[in-house]
Amino acid sequence: MRNPQLNKHGELQHLLTLDGLPREILIKILDIAAPFTEVAEREVKKLPLLRGKSIFNLFFENSTRTRTTFEIAAKRLSADVVNLNVSTSSTAKGESLLDTVDNLCAMQADMFVVRHASSGAPVLIAQHLQACGHDDIHVVNAGDGRHAHPTQGLLDMYTIRHCKGDFTRLSVAIVGDVLHSRVARSQIAALKTLGVPDLRVIGPKTLLPTAVEHMGVRVFHDMREGLRDVDVVMMLRLQNERMNGALLPTAQEYYKMWGLTAEKLALARPDAIVMHPGPMNRGVEIDSSVADGAQAVILKQVTYGIAVRMAVMSMLAGN
Ligand code: CP
């Protein structure tokens, strides 16, 4: 069966998930992103690749990094960008997601960048566009429920490749609330596709998916054991907004067991990098001395996010 993200020529039509995305397309996105990082150094930070294209940012859930960097990326590619303010849009009057999309299609949209609390919302939009014959309109998933956050996964891969080079020699640990994390799912899919031989998840049983080991990872419930000699530490935020019931004792207890402190980080390789998708809860999943320390690449991730999103959008709709 054809990958629903690819068109009949095997090119990227939508970016909905990193699960099943061919390795060559993943690498191509990272390669295309590399020269885009230099656009930020120019006096005129503009390329004409999306001139005349209309991109709609549809964020039905809060965001700082993703929404802003998508907007910057689209503007650097000379696109016209519309940020739908969902709280003041007709969504608040009961308009359905697909009716909103139909109306924006009537305004000659070329691309929708979608964040939604419900897993599957971007896929639903992509299927709807196909059913309506809008094969020329692209959808980018900017994070849906617990399902996927593909551009976050890609910018994380870009950051790792920039700092560490070869994926096939790395030990990578993903720490914390994997259960509720779309970021972790996208990271695991990409790291496996790129051939990371030692992929670990570390966290309490209540915050790891059932049978998580079937995702091709090694599972650790002892953070000190799990961090030993890793090259990359990827911390996750506690996704309190997605938790049903008490899965944790207290934030202080969580920090004691699963918070990344300088003392725990010392168990990783001396040149290990520390990543976090943001927003961070300092003193809950990460100590400030680590978040602001020499091994942290957390703000680099944000900066690379612009180039990676430029790469994705130009691959989808570039002139
Ligand atoms: N990493 C991330 O998705 O951050 P935002 O929620 O601020 O977009």
Side-chain angles (χ1 to χ4, degrees), residues 35-89:
F36 286 149
T37 57
E38 290 160 20
V39 177
E41 313 297 323
R42 298 186 190 174
E43 199 177 319
V44 179
K45 299 177 179 56
K46 287 271 187 199
L47 294 171
L49 295 172
L50 292 183
R51 191 159 57 196
K53 305 282 183 185
S54 298
I55 298 185
F56 286 76
N57 279 333
L58 309 182
F59 279 64
F60 295 89
E61 201 190 56
N62 294 350
S63 168
T64 296
R65 282 145 289 269
T66 312
R67 201 203 62 72
T68 314
T69 54
F70 262 111
E71 181 173 353
I72 295 170
K75 286 180 171 170
R76 287 197 180 158
L77 293 169
S78 308
D80 298 316
V81 185
V82 179
N83 292 304
L84 189 79
N85 185 341
V86 171
S87 62
T88 57
S89 76

